[in-house]
Amino acid sequence: MRKALYIFGLLADADVELMARLGRKRKLAPGHVLIKQGQVLDRLYLLLDGHMEVDISGLGVVAKLSSGEILGEMSFVDSAPTSATVRALDEVSLLELRKDELEARFASDPALGMRFFKAISVFLAERMRSTIARLGYGGAASLASEELLEDELDEGLLDNVAIAGERFSRLMRLLADAPEA
């Protein structure tokens, strides 16, 4: 759910409604591979329900994901091939957002694009800090950052946590009756 807090905390209510309208709800069976490492991806996914694992060739499973996680955000930003394989561990429900549709909206509403990319950037920056801390770089500052990651959100995000949670819940309500593809 942590990724959703970063993303939804920086978006507006109208942005969440737009995602619900533009997105396509999908269900995946256990074992289904959603993203293959090295694939060119033209979509972004929001994990609504269920669990997935992230596997990197040569390293193995590096993460387990649950509700609220964003998938494909790195390829969305830079269009490079994906860096991992993502597989459903159980029955999964996702919201699929096509890059071309989102980019068309960003062109007509630059403020939406700015909010969206800022949210992705904040999330990616936090992931980089977490990775650096887990690798043991940065000494005491690294340990403090790792403790923050384990126990709480950054103070700058705390004000947005309740709002972000409500926006995610609102998205779930908007999608409750949406047909699945």
Side-chain angles (χ1 to χ4, degrees), residues 2 5 9 11 19 22 29 45 75 77 87 112 117 120 138 147 153 157-158:
R2 191 179 173 114
L5 295 178
L11 295 176
M19 290 172 67
L22 284 180
Y45 300 96
S75 294
V77 171
R87 177 179 302 102
L112 166 64
F117 281 106
I120 297 290
E147 288 171 11
L153 292 170
L157 296 173
L158 288 176

Side-chain angles (χ1 to χ4, degrees), residues 149-168:
L149 291 172
E150 295 294 325
D151 298 335
E152 59 187 77
L153 292 170
D154 179 274
E155 281 184 37
L157 296 173
L158 288 176
D159 293 337
N160 292 334
V161 170
I163 294 168
E166 177 51 38
R167 285 184 181 138
F168 185 75

Side-chain angles (χ1 to χ4, degrees), residues 11-77:
L11 295 176
D13 291 339
D15 303 339
V16 174
E17 291 174 13
L18 175 70
M19 290 172 67
R21 283 193 313 274
L22 284 180
R24 187 178 122 201
K25 196 171 170 187
R26 292 184 56 190
K27 281 248 191 235
L28 304 179
H32 181 90
V33 173
L34 176 67
I35 299 171
K36 291 181 184 171
Q37 186 171 339
Q39 156 187 19
V40 175
L41 195 62
D42 63 351
R43 289 149 214 274
L44 183 71
Y45 300 96
L46 175 61
L47 181 54
L48 302 173
D49 191 40
H51 299 88
M52 302 188 86
E53 67 180 10
V54 179
D55 186 296
I56 297 176
S57 181
L59 291 177
V61 174
V62 296
K64 295 201 190 244
L65 309 175
S66 59
S67 178
E69 298 285 346
I70 306 292
L71 308 160
E73 71 281 353
M74 289 185 349
S75 294
F76 188 88
V77 171

Side-chain angles (χ1 to χ4, degrees), residues 68-115:
E69 298 285 346
I70 306 292
L71 308 160
E73 71 281 353
M74 289 185 349
S75 294
F76 188 88
V77 171
D78 68 5
S79 299
T82 57
S83 58
T85 296
V86 181
R87 177 179 302 102
L89 292 175
D90 48 30
E91 187 172 286
V92 165
S93 179
L94 299 159
L95 180 65
E96 176 183 271
L97 296 159
R98 290 183 29 185
K99 185 175 184 174
D100 60 343
E101 290 177 345
L102 284 173
E103 287 179 337
R105 292 297 178 136
F106 299 159
S108 66
D109 183 356
L112 166 64
M114 191 269 319
R115 288 187 303 274

